[in-house]
Amino acid sequence: MNFPNYLRLAVVGLVTLASCGKGGPPTASKPGKYSSTTGIEYNTEKGMAVANFKSVPEGPGLIFIEGGRTVLGSQSEDVTMTHDNIERTVTIASFYMDEAEVANIHWLEYLHFIRTDSAEEFYRSALPDTTVWARDLSFNDPYVTYYLRYPGFRYFPVVGVSWLQADDYCTWRTAQVNQRLAGEGSDGGSKKKGGGLFGRKKKADAADAGAEGTASNGGDAKNNISIENGNVLPNYRLPTEAEWEYAAQALVGTQEVGNENQEEKRIYPWDGKTTRNAYGRKQGQFLANFKRGRGDYAGIAGSLNDGAMITEYIYSYPPNDYGLYNMAGNVNEWVQDVYRPLSYQDVEDLNPFRRNGVADPADKYDKKNYQSLIDDHVRVYKGGSWRDVAYWLSPGTRRFMAEDSATATIGFRCAMINAGSNK
């Protein structure tokens, strides 16, 4: 007897539902052989192709930051009288963040690859401004020449990088990591022409057009970069201000299991009200690289305060309770947000973020007549630096600078969403 197609589908659907009862409901890594809503078989001529997926690939250099509810805002006296980060309760979704600041060696790697496969104009635009070290009344001239390229500074944080340059680095890093994960690799420094992210066009490939659930039609799913395959990572990017501040607080280290109350607060990314280590063999040692006072960048020879006259090795000083290094001091760090003084009251309470021209337009600020420095091209930076006093080490403090500007005191680290999971 010949059954209509819709009856066949109904029978298959019942079989599918029955199998779900034995093996449990479908999951991202075990979607089953059939659709749980139509009963149509996957990976057939008519069915949608569904790639194998185990878990999100591991992103190099990243630390998992478990999200949750917290109180953001300044924990100390507002000495600048800006009142631009008043306390408020928010929730931050789990995400990933670089365990340390992007270092000189990482930026030199970036320059190496884009010099190979991108336009010369873009390569030149990616060069850090090494003259940020130059001072009219200070002999910092050697840093102009040596800080970026000398091997001894390899794992010191890159500086002289604008927000725009840092954002471009995130784009490049995403492409390089995902090419490697997808099995294609990269040029490896070869002189091959015609590829690249910046300034040269790639040839179109007919196999690049894929079905909804998988990589290219007829292609090898393992070697095709696509979101649907699950063989790529989400974009590396600059963290939002809220993410950065949340990660710097690291209150996970003070939270009792099963206790829903947030009973502890931190002035700095560590316990206590001082900048010195209060425990163990390193008791009394400074926990960050900062300026102790007027003219005191490191302390007296033989008994240095923090051991760093300028920047320091990116893994110096103890990490916070998330495992992140130098979330206070060493260098300030760029974050995604456009600066507005009232962001704390404007942005939403779930994953707060300030973007251009929303709720508080730039034309409210009289920059044309030099009555304000605020527009849609100034970005927030956080964390304090080797040249800042302890006040700026508090996660709740915030400052801003034009996105195309750079200094010897600002670097950055990357972040990434936690895709497909709330944990």
Side-chain angles (χ1 to χ4, degrees), residues 171-359:
T171 302
W172 170 84
R173 184 176 174 184
T174 301
Q176 290 296 317
V177 171
N178 281 335
Q179 283 176 357
R180 180 182 61 79
L181 289 174
E184 289 189 351
S186 59
D187 293 346
S190 69
K191 297 294 181 182
K192 184 174 86 172
K193 301 193 177 188
L197 290 171
F198 307 103
R200 291 181 182 171
K201 295 181 180 179
K202 291 184 177 181
K203 292 182 180 179
D205 187 347
D208 285 344
E212 281 75 4
T214 185
S216 60
N217 292 322
D220 181 358
K222 178 182 176 182
N223 291 322
N224 280 284
I225 301 175
S226 76
I227 295 175
E228 292 85 357
N229 277 341
N231 60 355
V232 296
L233 285 165
N235 292 340
Y236 284 89
R237 56 175 173 79
L238 294 174
T240 67
E241 181 180 3
E243 285 175 336
W244 193 99
E245 188 173 331
Y246 177 83
Q249 289 180 349
L251 293 175
V252 64
T254 66
Q255 188 65 20
E256 295 180 10
V257 176
N259 186 354
E260 280 289 322
N261 296 321
Q262 183 175 306
E263 297 174 348
E264 301 287 341
K265 294 294 290 182
R266 283 174 168 169
I267 299 175
Y268 306 111
W270 52 79
D271 290 338
K273 298 180 180 180
T274 71
T275 55
R276 294 179 183 270
N277 195 330
Y279 309 104
R281 291 182 302 168
K282 296 185 178 180
Q283 184 175 1
Q285 294 185 11
F286 276 86
L287 293 166
N289 175 18
F290 67 104
K291 184 178 179 180
R292 188 180 184 187
R294 186 180 298 275
D296 186 356
Y297 290 86
I300 299 173
S303 182
L304 298 180
N305 295 341
D306 56 45
M309 286 72 173
I310 54 166
T311 55
E312 178 58 287
Y313 177 52
I314 59 173
Y315 295 103
S316 290
Y317 315 105
N320 72 5
D321 286 326
Y322 276 125
L324 303 172
Y325 291 85
N326 288 298
M327 292 299 283
N330 213 21
V331 287
N332 290 288
E333 298 178 15
W334 289 114
V335 295
Q336 275 200 57
D337 295 55
V338 169
Y339 177 81
R340 290 293 191 274
L342 298 182
S343 286
Y344 69 88
Q345 71 177 22
D346 293 337
V347 295
E348 297 197 16
D349 57 4
L350 173 63
N351 297 325
F353 172 58
R354 166 74 73 182
R355 66 184 82 242
N356 291 2
V358 176

Side-chain angles (χ1 to χ4, degrees), residues 73-83 267 391-392 394 396-397:
S74 180
Q75 299 300 305
S76 56
E77 183 181 356
D78 190 357
V79 298
T80 60
M81 300 298 290
T82 54
H83 303 296
I267 299 175
Y391 171 78
W392 297 106
S394 179
T397 57

